[in-house]
Amino acid sequence: MAIIDAQSVCKSLTLADTQLDILTGVDLKVEAGESLAIVGKSGSGKSTLLSLLAGLDSVSTGHIFLADQDLAGLDEDGRAAIRSDHVGFVFQNFQLLPHLSALDNVMLPLELKGHNHAEEKAREWLDKVGLADRLDHQPNQLSGGEQQRVAIARAFACEPDVLFADEPTGNLDEHTGEKIENLLFDLNSQLKTTLILVTHDEQLAKKCDRQVHLEDGKLAEMAKAS
């Protein structure tokens, strides 16, 4: 069953008197539990497509169904509600709140959702990502890899149907990046969470069930990763 179904999606921006077409006629279905890599050169529209699929931005024309709900028919509040119920994020720059501890960073979205056992859940997830001994550390007291693990714990703690990852290893060294990759795919496999990632890393992309390539605003299927 498709958790995401993008149909004839176009995204354009108007700059001065010029229309810039970023995406043109994109069709994409993503099955529940699948891992998908979106690849392409810089400026091809990868992050734009990710934002549209996640409901962070709105399409110019076309439709995107996320968990059977048409994002094109929703305002920002409506899309925010869908994100809260179904979506998690991991970004290249971690996006942790600097004044909060690792534990508080993971607890915050749980508390916002009214989770009755937010602290217990946050501790459980930080333990799963190997940070049980870093609960009270603030981001500036953690390495890049540790910060990304906090971000992953924060994303998975809310049990999203879809996890979007934008260059999740882009700011990490090769050894640390490989650990983060393994963690993402292990959790994807264990929890059947759909994983959609944008990456320039060919080796990371090949670990996904499927790859699609963006070029000149158009999407093409790539050969199945071995």
Side-chain angles (χ1 to χ4, degrees), residues 8-42:
S8 303
V9 168
C10 297
K11 181 65 178 180
S12 302
L13 296 176
T14 300
L15 302 174
D17 296 327
T18 303
Q19 178 174 296
L20 176 63
D21 296 323
I22 302 173
L23 299 173
T24 56
V26 169
D27 294 298
L28 177 65
K29 281 190 178 182
V30 185
E31 301 298 318
E34 184 178 13
S35 59
L36 174 75
I38 301 172
V39 300
K41 63 184 179 182
S42 296

Side-chain angles (χ1 to χ4, degrees), residues 47 50-51 54 56 83 87-96 144-145 147-152 154-155 163-172 180 184 196-198:
S47 293
L50 195 78
S51 294
L56 291 170
R83 292 195 301 270
V87 171
F89 297 97
V90 176
F91 296 101
Q92 180 177 352
N93 59 358
F94 319 134
Q95 293 198 1
L96 301 178
Q147 290 183 63
Q148 193 62 295
R149 280 189 276 164
V150 174
I152 290 170
R154 179 182 60 187
L163 180 69
F164 293 95
D166 193 352
E167 298 286 1
T169 60
N171 280 337
L172 305 175
I180 294 300
L184 278 173
I196 300 177
L197 59 87
V198 161

